[in-house]
């Protein structure tokens, strides 16, 4: 196959990156995956393409991976809600976006899909938010959201000022198979399915099957307008409804105790202090409680109209996620 037909996917060992790579390979694309040497290989078994080791923040490794690439999906990200040094998350996501996009410009990559997040959009309490509500770094809650805002604004600037041929996609909250780490939402599903979440905080989120997000990436590559952003979401779901759905799937009683946020802040602080000592991610964090003050609801109307994007019911994704976690031995 000609070099010009190579499609590069960064973050290919991750939840969304592996889904994008599998979809591309199934469509007949020649896929090259960029993966760090230290990354877990759970999602890379029988990888249907070429794997190149390298860090997306490393200009030399990234330039080598970009050789002969026609299409680029930059999915890699430091996806942590908490870190001992929160600014490390901001530095990592900005650096990887800058390094990968500069390498793409130098290599003359024809089209790019940059994976951002709905974290870059301001919530709109009472109704779904959309692409018309971009946040500033100062408005973002927590280091992860701020990092994604900073990186997205950099990509937008490169599109305007340097001719970068990038389309931006903003996934909401992906769930489904291959959530190997797992993601923060995946951890909630695991805890709930294992009967370790007897209570909940009133909040809401937008749930979408990870494979639908992957399809949205591919549609954005084919049909997206350069410089535009597209929300790739699914269904708006109250957290209590999601937990009840998990309980129904695994045959447990759903939690019925609603806990107000305020009394949980001291517990979150303690969890974070313990995490500083143990190095293990805390399940409850101060930023997660601050985020829970808003329903994270989003509309994918723009992607549906312009890309032909569609998402299946969230309960289908939830069922597949639980089945995968069970098979992986992650449920008690």
């Amino acid at each position: 196959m000609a070099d010009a037909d190579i499609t590069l996917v960064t973050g290919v060992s991750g939840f969304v990156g592996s889904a994008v790579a599998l979809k591309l390979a199934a469509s007949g694309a020649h896929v090259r995956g960029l993966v760090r040497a230290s990354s877990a290989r759970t999602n890379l078994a029988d990888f249907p393409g070429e794997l190149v080791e390298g860090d997306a923040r490393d200009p030399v490794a990234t330039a080598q991976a970009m050789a002969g690439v026609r299409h680029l999906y930059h999915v890699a990200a430091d996806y942590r809600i908490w870190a001992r040094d929160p600014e490390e998350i901001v530095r990592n996501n900005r650096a990887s976006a800058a390094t990968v996009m500069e390498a793409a410009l130098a290599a003359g990559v024809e089209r790019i899909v940059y994976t951002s997040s709905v974290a870059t959009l301001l919530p709109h309490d009472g109704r779904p938010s959309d692409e018309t509500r971009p946040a500033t770094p100062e408005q973002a809650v927590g280091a992860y959201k701020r990092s994604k805002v900073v990186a997205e604004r950099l990509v937008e600037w490169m599109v305007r000022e340097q001719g970068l041929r990038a389309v931006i996609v903003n996934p909401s909250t992906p769930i489904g198979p291959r959530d190997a780490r797992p993601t923060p939402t995946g951890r909630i599903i695991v805890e709930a399915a294992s009967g370790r979440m007897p209570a909940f905080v009133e909040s809401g989120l937008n749930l979408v099957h990870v494979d639908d997000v992957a399809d949205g990436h591919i549609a954005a590559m084919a049909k997206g307008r350069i410089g535009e952003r597209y929300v790739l979401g699914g269904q708006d779901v109250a957290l209590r409804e999601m937990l009840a759905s998990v309980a129904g799937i695994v045959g447990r009683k759903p939690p019925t105790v609603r806990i107000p946020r305020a009394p949980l802040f001291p517990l979150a602080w303690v969890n974070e202090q313990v995490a500083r000592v143990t190095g293990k991610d805390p399940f409850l964090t101060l930023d997660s409680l601050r985020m829970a003050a808003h329903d994270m609801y989003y509309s994918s109307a723009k992607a549906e109209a312009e890309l032909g994007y569609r998402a299946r019911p969230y309960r289908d994704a939830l069922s597949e996620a639980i089945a995968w976690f069970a098979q992986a031995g992650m449920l008690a």
Side-chain angles (χ1 to χ4, degrees), residues 36-105:
R36 289 179 302 153
S38 60
S39 291
R41 294 301 198 263
T42 303
N43 287 331
L44 297 179
D46 302 319
F47 181 75
E50 170 192 2
L51 284 174
V52 176
E53 283 194 356
D55 193 308
R57 299 167 298 178
D58 179 353
V60 175
T62 304
Q64 291 173 344
M66 206 71 68
V69 167
R70 180 183 180 191
H71 292 157
L72 164 67
Y73 293 85
H74 179 39
V75 190
D78 185 345
Y79 184 20
R80 291 180 291 167
I81 301 300
W82 180 89
R84 283 195 179 100
D85 175 11
E87 290 308 308
E88 181 183 45
I89 300 172
V90 181
R91 292 192 297 271
N92 285 345
N93 284 332
R94 190 191 187 286
S96 66
T99 302
V100 171
M101 295 304 138
E102 287 166 2
L105 277 173

Side-chain angles (χ1 to χ4, degrees), residues 87-167:
E87 290 308 308
E88 181 183 45
I89 300 172
V90 181
R91 292 192 297 271
N92 285 345
N93 284 332
R94 190 191 187 286
S96 66
T99 302
V100 171
M101 295 304 138
E102 287 166 2
L105 277 173
V109 173
E110 185 177 302
R111 277 179 72 88
I112 301 160
V113 170
Y114 167 70
T115 308
S116 185
S117 166
V118 292
T120 69
L121 306 173
L122 293 173
H124 209 180
D125 286 334
R127 52 181 167 150
S129 184
D130 61 20
E131 298 86 351
T132 65
R133 293 179 57 80
T136 65
E138 296 74 23
Q139 292 171 315
V141 176
Y144 174 72
K145 288 194 173 189
R146 187 165 70 257
S147 78
K148 295 304 287 185
V149 172
V150 168
E152 184 180 287
R153 299 296 164 264
L154 172 65
V155 172
E156 290 174 327
W157 179 85
M158 293 180 75
V159 169
R160 290 193 310 269
E161 303 297 328
Q162 299 186 344
L164 186 74
R165 296 188 58 77
V167 178

Side-chain angles (χ1 to χ4, degrees), residues 309-330:
Y309 173 74
R310 297 292 182 270
R312 73 197 77 181
Y314 87 91
R315 285 184 177 84
D316 294 352
L318 202 56
S319 294
E320 289 190 38
I322 291 169
W324 191 89
F325 287 135
Q327 186 176 18
M330 297 169 70

Side-chain angles (χ1 to χ4, degrees), residues 7 9 12 14-26 31 73 75 115 178 210-211 213-215 217-218:
T7 297
V9 182
V12 76
F15 186 34
V16 175
S18 61
V20 171
L22 288 171
K23 288 280 186 176
L24 286 167
V31 181
Y73 293 85
V75 190
T115 308
R178 302 180 304 277
V210 68
D211 290 338
V213 170
D215 285 335
H217 277 68
I218 295 170

Side-chain angles (χ1 to χ4, degrees), residues 168-297:
I168 298 166
V169 293
N170 302 77
S172 59
T173 306
I175 58 174
R178 302 180 304 277
D179 190 359
R181 191 174 178 182
T183 60
T185 310
R187 289 183 69 189
I188 292 175
I189 294 170
V190 167
E191 293 298 303
S194 300
R196 293 191 291 265
M197 284 194 69
F200 61 91
V201 172
E202 199 69 65
S203 188
L205 63 169
N206 184 284
L207 298 174
V208 59
H209 196 298
V210 68
D211 290 338
D212 292 337
V213 170
D215 285 335
H217 277 68
I218 295 170
M221 180 67 78
K223 303 176 185 178
R225 290 183 285 146
I226 301 299
E228 292 290 319
R229 68 172 72 88
Y230 297 90
V231 171
L232 303 180
Q235 289 178 273
D236 294 328
V237 183
L239 180 58
R240 81 160 75 200
E241 180 186 338
M242 185 190 99
L243 296 176
S245 295
V246 171
I249 291 168
V250 300
R252 295 183 181 273
K253 291 183 178 181
T256 57
V257 179
R258 175 185 175 276
I259 302 177
R261 291 168 50 249
L264 293 176
F265 278 94
L267 179 59
W269 183 86
V270 170
N271 278 357
E272 291 190 10
Q273 302 315 303
V274 171
R276 290 183 183 279
V277 175
T278 64
K280 296 181 180 179
D281 289 346
F283 184 70
L284 183 65
T285 68
L286 295 170
D287 283 340
S288 66
L289 284 176
R290 294 182 186 114
M291 292 176 199
H294 305 280
D295 288 333
M296 302 297 175
Y297 292 161

